[in-house]
Amino acid sequence: MYVNLYTRTVCPLCEKAKDQLLKLAQQFPLVINEIDIYQNDRLLEKYHLMIPVVEIDGKEIDYGMIDVETIRRYLLERDDEFVEH
């Protein structure tokens, strides 16, 4: 399962979101891709006020103050596509 984490430098919420995703990666087969929105004008315009943003397989799952349970529920709903390990 591919996870994009849209972030920026010096972002405490982004660091917290990354830590939460790394914990989830111990339970689910996640590949986390951290993307700095300041490296792409389109992403900066789209996500500037939303970061961090967690996107899984092209779907925005949560943003801002990330709720790990929201992400966990999304992953569990997709359990037919992968097995928790």
Side-chain angles (χ1 to χ4, degrees):
M1 186 73 44
Y2 290 94
V3 178
N4 286 330
L5 175 61
Y6 295 99
T7 68
R8 68 175 181 166
T9 57
V10 189
C11 173
L13 285 178
C14 300
E15 289 302 316
K16 183 176 180 181
K18 182 178 177 181
D19 290 344
Q20 291 173 328
L21 288 173
L22 290 172
K23 287 178 185 173
L24 284 174
Q26 294 172 7
Q27 300 172 328
F28 299 93
L30 302 179
V31 176
I32 301 166
N33 181 30
E34 198 170 349
I35 301 168
D36 182 347
I37 64 169
Y38 280 86
Q39 301 302 313
N40 180 302
D41 290 339
R42 184 185 62 77
L43 293 176
L44 179 59
E45 183 176 329
K46 183 175 182 179
Y47 294 126
H48 179 68
L49 298 175
M50 296 172 62
I51 62 165
V53 176
V54 175
E55 177 188 82
I56 301 176
D57 289 341
K59 182 177 179 185
E60 293 171 6
I61 305 304
D62 204 2
Y63 65 91
M65 298 215 30
I66 301 300
D67 177 31
V68 70
E69 290 308 314
T70 298
I71 298 167
R72 185 187 317 278
R73 279 192 304 273
Y74 178 81
L75 294 171
L76 288 171
E77 287 172 2
R78 300 193 59 195
D79 68 354
D80 60 326
E81 296 178 32
F82 63 91
V83 178
E84 193 172 350
H85 63 155

